[in-house]
């Protein structure tokens, strides 16, 4: 009979998932920056790359608080989302719609991260891991702000440029 799994096990498993995802995103952002045509979008990707490095470091702190070694497990969801982003780059390279597609791909990543960090923060609170919850919330707030910033960039310039 299989051992009973608890919220603590689920928390650790999901933490490994997002740790893998963040490290994968860290590798994808420079490619997205190079593909972007708008200087504002390039700057947004560069800013988020720096934040993502901080997210990885915060996750390492959460693992440490739990007395665990930081290690990831393959996150099929982020693999698929990043693959779709690469498809956008290939399919829309050198077109007016590329930056709109890149923002869409980036927001798919953000929405995945927002879902994961919101869940992890709640579970950390349930498990009495208050310091971990604070670290996870800091990342959640940055992810929410990045999503807002990308929406604003899309609405103020990128989408209208893609119509031309």
């Amino acid at each position: 009979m299989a051992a009973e799994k608890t919220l603590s096990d689920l928390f650790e498993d999901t933490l490994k998932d997002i740790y893998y995802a963040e490290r994968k995103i860290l590798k994808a952002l420079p490619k997205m920056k190079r593909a972007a045509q708008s200087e504002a979008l390039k700057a947004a990707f560069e800013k988020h790359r720096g934040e993502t490095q901080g997210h990885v470091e915060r996750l390492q702190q959460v693992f440490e608080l739990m007395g665990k070694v930081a290690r990831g497990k393959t996150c099929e969801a982020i693999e698929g989302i990043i693959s779709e982003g690469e498809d956008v780059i290939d399919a829309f390279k050198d077109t007016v719609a590329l930056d709109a597609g890149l923002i869409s791909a980036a927001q798919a990543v953000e929405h995945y991260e927002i879902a994961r960090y919101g869940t992890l923060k709640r579970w950390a609170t349930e498990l009495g891991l208050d310091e971990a919850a604070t670290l996870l919330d800091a990342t959640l707030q940055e992810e929410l702000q990045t999503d807002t910033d990308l929406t604003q960039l899309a609405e103020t310039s990128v989408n209208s440029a893609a119509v031309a």
Side-chain angles (χ1 to χ4, degrees), residues 139-159:
T139 299
L140 175 60
Q141 297 311 311
E142 287 178 2
E143 300 293 10
L144 288 164
Q145 186 60 54
T146 296
D147 184 51
T148 298
D149 293 348
L150 288 168
T151 296
Q152 183 177 9
L153 185 57
E155 290 176 350
T156 59
S157 63
V158 171
N159 288 349

Side-chain angles (χ1 to χ4, degrees), residues 12 20 36 47 59 64 73 81 131 136:
E12 184 180 348
Y20 175 94
K47 177 183 178 214
L59 288 169
E64 286 176 28
K73 73 167 202 159
I81 292 169
E131 194 174 343
L136 294 164

Side-chain angles (χ1 to χ4, degrees), residues 41-81:
L41 185 53
K42 287 179 185 287
F45 287 144
E46 182 58 32
K47 177 183 178 214
H48 196 57
R49 191 192 64 70
E51 289 176 347
T52 301
Q53 183 58 52
H55 301 165
V56 169
E57 292 167 7
R58 279 192 202 117
L59 288 169
Q60 290 168 341
Q61 289 178 294
V62 173
F63 278 109
E64 286 176 28
L65 288 169
M66 297 170 55
K68 305 284 184 179
V69 175
R71 64 182 177 91
K73 73 167 202 159
T74 302
C75 173
E76 297 297 337
I78 209 66
E79 291 284 349
I81 292 169

Side-chain angles (χ1 to χ4, degrees), residues 64-113:
E64 286 176 28
L65 288 169
M66 297 170 55
K68 305 284 184 179
V69 175
R71 64 182 177 91
K73 73 167 202 159
T74 302
C75 173
E76 297 297 337
I78 209 66
E79 291 284 349
I81 292 169
I82 288 173
S83 178
E84 286 180 3
E86 290 169 349
D87 290 347
V88 167
I89 292 170
D90 293 341
F92 291 90
K93 185 178 181 180
D94 299 325
T95 73
V96 294
L98 176 61
D99 283 356
L102 286 170
I103 287 176
S104 174
Q107 285 189 295
V109 169
E110 291 308 308
H111 295 172
Y112 180 77
E113 292 175 298

